Amino acid sequence: MPIYNAPVQDIQFLLQDVLKVTETGVPGYEDLEADFTGAVLEEAGKVARDVLAPLNLSGDQEGCTLENGVVHTPKGFDKAFAAMKEGGWTALDCDPDYGGQGLPYVMGTAVGEIFVSANMAFNMYQGLTHGAYSAIHVHGTGAQKTTYLPKMVSCDWTGTMNLTEPHAGTDLGMMRTKAEPQDDGSYLITGQKIFISAGEHDLAENIIHLVLAKAPGGGEGTKGISLFIVPKFLVKEDGSLGKRNGVSVGSIEHKMGIHGNATCVMNYDAAQGWLLGDLHKGMKAMFTMMNEARLGVGLQGYAVAEAAYQNAVVYARERLQGRAVTGAENPSGPADPLIVHPDIRRSLMDQKSFVEGARALTYWGAHLIDKSKRQGDEAAEGLISLMTPVIKGFQTDKGFEMAVQAQQVWGGHGYIEENGMSQFVRDARIAQIYEGANGIQALDLVGRKLAQDGGKHVMAFFDMVKAFIKENQDDAQMKPFTDPLKAASKDLQAAAMYFMQNGLKNPNNALAGSYDFMHLMGHVCLGLMWARMAKAAFVGLAAGSGDKAFLEAKIATGHYYMTRQLPASATHLARIESGAEPVMALRAEAF
Amino acid sequence: MPIYNAPVQDIQFLLQDVLKVTETGVPGYEDLEADFTGAVLEEAGKVARDVLAPLNLSGDQEGCTLENGVVHTPKGFDKAFAAMKEGGWTALDCDPDYGGQGLPYVMGTAVGEIFVSANMAFNMYQGLTHGAYSAIHVHGTGAQKTTYLPKMVSCDWTGTMNLTEPHAGTDLGMMRTKAEPQDDGSYLITGQKIFISAGEHDLAENIIHLVLAKAPGGGEGTKGISLFIVPKFLVKEDGSLGKRNGVSVGSIEHKMGIHGNATCVMNYDAAQGWLLGDLHKGMKAMFTMMNEARLGVGLQGYAVAEAAYQNAVVYARERLQGRAVTGAENPSGPADPLIVHPDIRRSLMDQKSFVEGARALTYWGAHLIDKSKRQGDEAAEGLISLMTPVIKGFQTDKGFEMAVQAQQVWGGHGYIEENGMSQFVRDARIAQIYEGANGIQALDLVGRKLAQDGGKHVMAFFDMVKAFIKENQDDAQMKPFTDPLKAASKDLQAAAMYFMQNGLKNPNNALAGSYDFMHLMGHVCLGLMWARMAKAAFVGLAAGSGDKAFLEAKIATGHYYMTRQLPASATHLARIESGAEPVMALRAEAF
């Protein structure tokens, strides 16, 4: 069975030495002293290792089942869910007014990573509840918050998001689910939603569905869409549960992965719902949560890769095959361990340097969200809005690629389901698809975010990179970091310039390069993160304060990323600068 | 259910217009007139579409089952196998002396592609039989050939290859299976083999296992290994089946994909076997079949991607989401089809340009094998020996990547098993692992093939590329092909030069770049294939002889590959030239 150990030292390094959370002045960050964050992370690591990880493979193999309208989660999920609730883990970064612990989002993100690595499918039950909690917290009336939030913070009730319909995925404007206003101010919701994660299950007393639907008078397309709260069981005035609402699960999907999470077809048959936020402003209400939701999926990308990487390392150390070309390293054994072979090293370094870089980018993103929410910092909000499609799209693509590489280290044994490496690959795959498929992320980045607010945010990002290079380029030990970062960011700027100069003539010149731009920007972001981490490591080494071996490994891993990954920028730029012509040349019938 | 239509026009273009098979002078090629090859391919296409493809998804979902030592293949496989036998498809490129039809290997390859695309797991039963047939054909005694080959040509008896043991995969020298010589000249084989594809099943009267084992006196490591014929049922003098041999299936694996093929643990308990080829020369006997076996797996890489691509195109045409940014293309409908969007085009062009390029490379490889075998052409043999790891490693990596892209076009619907896109991804994945994991292919290429015969073969390849460029660079319409090919092959030569200059100092400098070299060389090979195809298309257009739309699409697809894929060479070169240091810098404990 696969193992998982929370990378507490790495997380602490990011929080304390790179982000230096207690020095940021963000309200709430003053509590994040190293002792405290270390204790929380260690405790989360224990839950992950002892409770969640042992259910990951069995949950995949058993899957969810639907019987007479009831979805059964895999064996052990109920007890593990109870343990998560009892430990207060579901309330970590929720509002204390509703029973939360009020910790910053960056801390919820770090703990979330640990739980996702241990058991992605299981953690979705809580993750989706958190998303629904956020929506009600931002858009709900006082009464709605009082009614729903405390139970959702504790996960006595879980939540869902209902967007997709069979014929309307990306293009929500074609949605058919209707909301008919009633005299008492409620609405009757009728329609079918698909791909509803955690839509029905046996882990909670009640399920609070947030449903996008069209109410009369809103006009065509996405303009007519509103967001509704539709509880599985209606909630009485006193907070107790009343009768069953007109919502039921039609079927559950047989999927490639995340088998432990029930993906449901949900049928709404005149189900009673209540407007959340403004009428006909449902899309806007959804978008306000999008940065967090997408950052959470970007996190899944590298968190699953982390778990896969840990198990690739175990195998590379234990499996004896062949001899090091430079001379036997295990002369008393029948062969050397895989880890001596350069191509295995290449694979492990690809994985390690990606995961640690993506972790840094994700925590920095969570920190920007905290700055935006807790300090009203508009620059931070603009920046995370720009970064979100990169974090989601780039990290889930690379996370999947790295899970595949981890599986490859296991050779034929990686293809056998009982070893668990296949599950990492199959689970990681969904993160590239849901919460806006990665092509949509690229479209969002190039078609919308680059030009947002007059291009202010992308300019701020370029300035940030330039400032870091300028500040550090005379430091000889930083040169192996600043030089490649400079080259890659030059390519990124050239790509943005190409879009500006050619996108107006023909927008396809920008859109045909959007996917490459997302990846090019991902590399520059991870390059910046690695340069920052290297700097923090050099500072630690000079001060003689930290764990020398850890800091040296950090620098070597960063150096690998700068040397072996950043050169991809040139290829992405060449693809982008070839424009729309090669992409659009073929007539549609010729495919 | 996924569709599949054999790409007969594309295959014909390769055989008749690019390879110009009838003009090559290879014995047997004189029969390959366009009418004949077209008729064979059309007929194979019908079997693929009507018999094999309809069983692909159901075979995946049902899988194989083991009951009381008997493996049951999925429903319908028995009838389909009977149909393949009756149609003579199993005998296509086999020796007429044993009931084969004697067609060249290039033709067997083309038909094989069609069957693999339609149902990879099913086709393995025949494919492995063909491999065992080849081994006996090359190394068997007259009596062995007479006993086994006719039944294997007809697939009344199927075959297997038994190499791997639990602790010995890549490193076969650690093998423990023993062969004890008996007075009658036979051997008793005892040991356990794992990952035996088609090791046991209900499709054939008998199964002829080829088993690697250690006979006394052979010395340590791979030197002591011999190859044995171990039939499931012993064969009597008159050719009829005798008693059951001491070989049985221990269990079948629950795998990520190719569920329709039984992957068995095989237990040999004093099973009677007969030496095939020379004593203690088993590895050499296996290696003589390796080019064909690995080319066959390289074929699986793009053949599955072809099937996935076809289904991505169907969905991209049918699924209506969003509007073209340049103006509605389906104004009377609720939205435009996906295929109008540049990023969907980018994905489809990536897939199409890879599949067609890989097909050309594979057929060229098969043609080299024919030249080697039918004409004793040593240059051709050297060249295919060099190309084999590229065809296997590069094409299966890219094939998997393209199957993932095809699945991505389907969005969330691609993640649902009943749509079949997940199966393509899961099936394609094994081709990167078996028949020598792709890291081993890279090692074979850089550690062995580059320097083979004094580097003669790689020099011949470089000369071939140079000659093509020289011959065509003054042709203005070929410039968009020769220029990028020149740049990429320059990168490939620089990489080879880097290995020569730095590999002697430290072999890790070569091995750390081996994987990138394999991909870099793959791109140059496909670049050369596309340049050749473009030239044939221009010739056809000038002559006004062919299908104008097809030839124009061919040129546009090739142009895409040259513009959007070949620039990857720069990134691979940069990674290679960074050498071993970044790859090997981390101490093993730091992972």
Side-chain angles (χ1 to χ4, degrees):
Chain A
M1 199 174 68
I3 56 104
Y4 172 68
N5 292 299
V8 173
Q9 187 174 20
D10 204 53
I11 298 176
Q12 285 281 76
F13 171 73
L14 286 174
L15 295 177
Q16 305 300 336
D17 300 328
V18 181
L19 290 174
K20 298 184 177 159
V21 283
T22 54
E23 299 173 22
T24 58
V26 177
Y29 274 41
E30 63 279 2
D31 297 334
L32 302 183
E33 295 287 354
D35 285 354
F36 173 69
T37 57
V40 172
L41 295 168
E42 288 291 353
E43 208 49 49
K46 276 185 210 158
V47 174
R49 186 191 62 207
D50 301 337
V51 181
L52 305 190
L55 296 174
N56 196 33
L57 184 58
S58 59
D60 179 65
Q61 292 182 340
E62 186 184 338
C64 295
T65 46
L66 172 64
E67 272 179 300
N68 305 321
V70 180
V71 171
H72 301 283
T73 54
K75 202 175 159 202
F77 272 37
D78 51 354
K79 278 187 190 155
F81 204 69
M84 291 284 282
K85 288 163 62 174
E86 274 163 39
W89 295 107
T90 64
L92 203 73
D93 58 357
C94 294
D95 188 342
D97 287 351
Y98 304 100
Q101 296 177 31
L103 283 177
Y105 182 63
V106 73
M107 202 60 202
T109 301
V111 170
E113 177 200 315
I114 292 173
F115 293 158
V116 171
S117 287
N119 195 327
M120 173 172 161
F122 175 87
N123 202 60
M124 288 173 67
Y125 293 101
Q126 187 261 317
L128 284 151
T129 306
H130 197 281
Y133 153 88
S134 293
I136 297 174
H137 192 255
V138 175
H139 299 288
T141 62
Q144 285 173 337
K145 292 196 218 184
T146 312
T147 304
Y148 298 108
L149 293 189
K151 291 286 193 181
M152 294 174 79
V153 167
S154 66
C155 271
D156 288 332
W157 301 354
T158 62
T160 73
M161 296 290 185
N162 291 240
L163 287 75
T164 306
E165 299 182 7
H167 58 287
T170 298
D171 193 349
L172 289 170
M174 295 197 288
M175 179 177 292
R176 290 181 194 144
T177 299
K178 296 272 174 245
E180 280 182 70
Q182 305 298 301
D183 291 343
D184 66 356
S186 71
Y187 289 77
L188 293 184
I189 313 291
T190 301
Q192 188 180 66
K193 296 287 181 177
I194 63 169
F195 301 158
I196 308 309
S197 299
E200 178 59 50
H201 57 80
D202 53 7
L203 300 177
E205 301 160 9
N206 200 5
I207 301 176
I208 310 306
H209 303 289
L210 300 192
V211 185
L212 287 179
K214 287 189 170 175
E220 287 299 299
T222 55
K223 288 185 205 113
I225 293 174
S226 306
L227 185 59
F228 298 90
I229 300 176
V230 185
K232 175 179 168 184
F233 289 100
L234 297 176
V235 182
K236 294 187 201 164
E237 292 265 328
D238 65 357
S240 67
L241 297 185
K243 68 174 180 139
R244 181 77 189 248
N245 203 350
V247 49
S248 60
V249 54
S251 60
I252 58 175
E253 305 287 0
H254 178 219
K255 309 182 300 289
M256 185 180 185
I258 52 166
H259 295 162
N261 198 276
T263 305
C264 302
V265 173
M266 299 302 298
N267 294 318
Y268 292 86
D269 185 11
Q272 200 172 8
W274 288 268
L275 188 67
L276 177 60
D278 295 332
L279 187 66
H280 304 140
K281 298 280 165 66
M283 290 302 285
K284 208 183 138 203
M286 292 300 303
F287 270 107
T288 57
M289 295 169 304
M290 202 161 274
N291 288 343
E292 282 184 48
R294 292 183 169 179
L295 185 130
V297 175
L299 179 150
Q300 290 178 330
Y302 80 82
V304 174
E306 161 77 37
Y309 162 75
Q310 289 190 12
N311 288 282
V313 171
V314 167
Y315 194 77
R317 286 205 178 105
E318 287 176 1
R319 176 81 171 171
L320 305 178
Q321 298 285 284
R323 290 291 183 191
V325 69
T326 46
E329 299 201 8
N330 175 34
S332 60
D336 288 345
L338 288 181
I339 203 165
V340 308
H341 301 299
D343 190 60
I344 296 289
R345 285 289 183 113
R346 183 233 4 120
S347 171
L348 294 178
M349 290 301 290
D350 276 344
Q351 296 169 51
K352 182 175 167 68
S353 65
F354 161 72
V355 167
E356 294 179 14
R359 176 176 296 128
L361 181 61
T362 304
Y363 292 5
W364 181 51
H367 172 57
L368 290 174
I369 289 177
D370 277 331
K371 284 175 79 163
S372 152
K373 290 209 173 157
R374 291 176 176 240
Q375 294 183 300
D377 184 331
E378 287 182 11
E381 192 180 337
L383 206 50
I384 187 59
S385 170
L386 171 74
M387 291 295 160
T388 293
V390 178
I391 292 174
K392 197 281 184 183
F394 177 73
Q395 290 188 180
T396 59
D397 277 0
K398 288 286 169 189
F400 174 73
E401 196 184 314
M402 295 308 149
V404 170
Q405 287 213 29
Q407 182 190 27
Q408 188 76 15
V409 170
W410 279 64
H413 298 275
Y415 201 65
I416 306 302
E417 290 291 354
E418 73 186 38
N419 292 320
M421 300 307 287
S422 164
Q423 184 190 358
F424 293 131
V425 171
R426 292 184 289 96
D427 285 359
R429 183 71 185 90
I430 190 59
Q432 300 173 280
I433 298 171
Y434 62 19
E435 197 54 42
N438 285 356
I440 295 299
Q441 303 299 327
L443 180 65
D444 178 44
L445 177 64
V446 169
R448 201 165 148 266
K449 299 293 174 64
L450 280 189
Q452 205 170 32
D453 300 325
K456 193 165 79 175
H457 310 302
V458 73
M459 292 313 297
F461 175 71
F462 287 143
D463 288 345
M464 178 181 299
V465 175
K466 272 183 220 159
F468 182 91
I469 293 169
K470 201 173 164 197
E471 199 181 308
N472 293 284
Q473 65 190 358
D474 298 330
D475 178 351
Q477 60 187 0
M478 281 298 288
K479 223 175 144 51
F481 292 87
T482 49
D483 281 358
L485 179 59
K486 198 172 190 172
S489 64
K490 217 180 118 193
D491 286 344
L492 183 66
Q493 288 178 63
M497 187 60 72
Y498 175 85
F499 290 158
M500 279 176 61
Q501 290 173 341
N502 298 279
L504 278 182
K505 269 190 296 202
N506 178 359
N508 285 348
N509 278 325
L511 299 185
S514 58
Y515 212 87
D516 283 279
F517 189 87
M518 179 173 77
H519 273 254
L520 173 46
M521 187 155 166
H523 280 300
V524 173
C525 287
L526 259 60
L528 177 63
M529 293 302 119
W530 271 117
R532 283 184 183 169
M533 287 191 279
K535 191 175 177 184
F538 284 125
V539 168
L541 283 174
S545 57
D547 174 342
K548 190 160 171 283
F550 172 83
L551 296 174
E552 283 173 353
K554 186 57 77 178
I555 291 164
T557 308
H559 185 232
Y560 182 91
Y561 195 87
M562 306 313 279
T563 316
R564 289 249 168 182
Q565 294 296 346
L566 275 198
S569 67
T571 298
H572 289 302
L573 179 60
R575 284 171 62 102
I576 290 165
E577 289 185 340
S578 73
E581 195 278 329
V583 176
M584 305 302 285
L586 224 57
R587 289 168 310 113
E589 313 85 70
F591 282 95
Chain B
M1 199 174 68
I3 57 104
Y4 172 70
N5 292 299
V8 173
Q9 187 173 20
D10 205 52
I11 298 176
Q12 285 281 76
F13 171 73
L14 286 174
L15 295 177
Q16 305 300 335
D17 300 328
V18 181
L19 291 174
K20 296 184 179 164
V21 282
T22 55
E23 299 173 23
T24 58
V26 177
Y29 274 42
E30 62 279 1
D31 296 333
L32 303 182
E33 295 286 352
D35 286 355
F36 173 70
T37 56
V40 172
L41 295 168
E42 289 290 352
E43 208 50 47
K46 276 185 209 156
V47 174
R49 188 192 60 208
D50 300 338
V51 181
L52 306 189
L55 297 175
N56 196 33
L57 183 58
S58 60
D60 178 64
Q61 293 182 340
E62 187 183 336
C64 295
T65 47
L66 172 65
E67 271 178 301
N68 305 321
V70 179
V71 170
H72 301 283
T73 54
K75 203 175 157 202
F77 271 37
D78 52 354
K79 278 186 189 156
F81 203 69
M84 291 284 282
K85 288 163 60 173
E86 275 164 39
W89 295 108
T90 64
L92 203 73
D93 59 357
C94 294
D95 187 343
D97 286 351
Y98 305 101
Q101 297 178 30
L103 285 178
Y105 182 63
V106 73
M107 203 59 203
T109 301
V111 169
E113 176 200 316
I114 292 172
F115 293 157
V116 171
S117 287
N119 196 327
M120 173 172 160
F122 175 87
N123 202 60
M124 288 173 68
Y125 294 102
Q126 188 262 316
L128 284 150
T129 307
H130 197 281
Y133 154 87
S134 293
I136 297 175
H137 193 254
V138 175
H139 300 288
T141 63
Q144 285 173 337
K145 292 196 218 184
T146 313
T147 304
Y148 298 108
L149 293 188
K151 292 286 193 182
M152 294 175 78
V153 167
S154 66
C155 271
D156 289 332
W157 301 353
T158 61
T160 71
M161 297 290 186
N162 291 241
L163 287 75
T164 306
E165 298 182 8
H167 59 287
T170 298
D171 192 349
L172 289 171
M174 294 196 287
M175 181 176 292
R176 289 180 196 146
T177 298
K178 296 270 174 247
E180 282 183 69
Q182 304 299 301
D183 292 341
D184 66 356
S186 71
Y187 290 76
L188 293 184
I189 313 289
T190 301
Q192 188 179 65
K193 295 287 180 177
I194 63 168
F195 302 158
I196 308 309
S197 298
E200 178 58 51
H201 57 81
D202 54 6
L203 299 177
E205 299 159 11
N206 200 6
I207 301 176
I208 310 306
H209 303 289
L210 299 192
V211 185
L212 287 180
K214 288 190 170 175
E220 288 298 300
T222 54
K223 287 185 206 114
I225 293 175
S226 306
L227 185 59
F228 298 90
I229 300 177
V230 184
K232 175 179 167 183
F233 290 100
L234 298 176
V235 183
K236 294 187 201 161
E237 292 266 330
D238 65 357
S240 66
L241 296 185
K243 68 173 179 137
R244 181 77 189 247
N245 204 351
V247 48
S248 60
V249 54
S251 60
I252 57 174
E253 305 287 0
H254 179 218
K255 310 182 299 290
M256 185 181 185
I258 51 166
H259 294 163
N261 198 277
T263 305
C264 302
V265 172
M266 299 303 298
N267 294 318
Y268 292 86
D269 185 11
Q272 200 172 8
W274 288 268
L275 187 66
L276 177 60
D278 296 332
L279 186 67
H280 304 141
K281 297 280 165 66
M283 290 302 285
K284 207 183 140 204
M286 292 300 305
F287 270 108
T288 57
M289 296 170 304
M290 203 162 271
N291 288 343
E292 282 185 47
R294 291 184 169 179
L295 185 130
V297 176
L299 178 150
Q300 290 179 331
Y302 80 81
V304 175
E306 162 77 37
Y309 162 75
Q310 289 191 13
N311 288 283
V313 171
V314 167
Y315 194 76
R317 286 205 179 106
E318 286 176 2
R319 176 81 171 173
L320 305 178
Q321 297 284 286
R323 291 291 184 190
V325 68
T326 46
E329 298 200 10
N330 175 33
S332 60
D336 287 345
L338 288 181
I339 204 165
V340 307
H341 302 299
D343 190 61
I344 296 289
R345 285 289 183 113
R346 184 236 359 124
S347 170
L348 294 177
M349 290 300 290
D350 276 345
Q351 296 169 52
K352 183 176 167 67
S353 65
F354 161 71
V355 166
E356 294 179 15
R359 177 177 296 129
L361 182 62
T362 303
Y363 292 6
W364 181 52
H367 173 57
L368 290 174
I369 289 176
D370 277 331
K371 283 176 79 164
S372 152
K373 291 208 172 159
R374 293 177 174 239
Q375 294 184 300
D377 184 331
E378 287 182 12
E381 192 180 337
L383 206 50
I384 187 60
S385 171
L386 172 73
M387 291 294 159
T388 293
V390 178
I391 291 175
K392 197 282 184 182
F394 177 72
Q395 289 188 181
T396 60
D397 277 0
K398 287 286 169 187
F400 173 74
E401 194 185 314
M402 295 307 148
V404 170
Q405 287 213 30
Q407 182 190 28
Q408 188 76 13
V409 170
W410 280 64
H413 299 275
Y415 201 66
I416 307 301
E417 290 291 354
E418 73 186 39
N419 292 320
M421 300 307 289
S422 164
Q423 185 191 356
F424 293 131
V425 171
R426 292 184 289 96
D427 285 359
R429 184 71 185 90
I430 190 59
Q432 301 173 281
I433 298 171
Y434 63 17
E435 198 52 44
N438 285 355
I440 295 298
Q441 303 300 325
L443 179 66
D444 179 44
L445 177 64
V446 169
R448 201 164 149 267
K449 299 294 175 66
L450 280 189
Q452 205 170 33
D453 299 325
K456 193 166 79 175
H457 310 303
V458 72
M459 292 314 297
F461 175 71
F462 286 144
D463 287 346
M464 179 182 297
V465 175
K466 271 183 218 157
F468 183 90
I469 292 168
K470 201 172 165 198
E471 198 181 309
N472 293 284
Q473 65 190 357
D474 298 330
D475 179 351
Q477 60 188 359
M478 280 299 288
K479 224 175 144 50
F481 292 87
T482 49
D483 282 358
L485 179 59
K486 198 173 190 170
S489 63
K490 217 180 117 192
D491 287 342
L492 183 65
Q493 289 179 62
M497 187 60 73
Y498 175 86
F499 290 158
M500 281 176 60
Q501 291 173 341
N502 298 278
L504 278 182
K505 267 188 297 203
N506 177 358
N508 285 348
N509 279 325
L511 299 185
S514 58
Y515 212 88
D516 283 279
F517 189 87
M518 179 173 77
H519 273 254
L520 173 45
M521 186 156 166
H523 279 300
V524 172
C525 287
L526 260 59
L528 177 64
M529 293 302 120
W530 270 116
R532 283 184 183 169
M533 288 192 278
K535 190 174 178 187
F538 284 125
V539 167
L541 283 174
S545 58
D547 174 343
K548 191 160 171 281
F550 172 83
L551 296 173
E552 284 174 351
K554 186 58 74 177
I555 292 163
T557 307
H559 185 232
Y560 181 91
Y561 196 87
M562 306 313 279
T563 316
R564 289 247 169 185
Q565 295 295 348
L566 275 198
S569 65
T571 298
H572 289 302
L573 179 61
R575 284 171 62 103
I576 289 165
E577 290 185 339
S578 73
E581 193 278 328
V583 176
M584 305 302 286
L586 224 56
R587 290 169 310 112
E589 313 84 71
F591 282 94

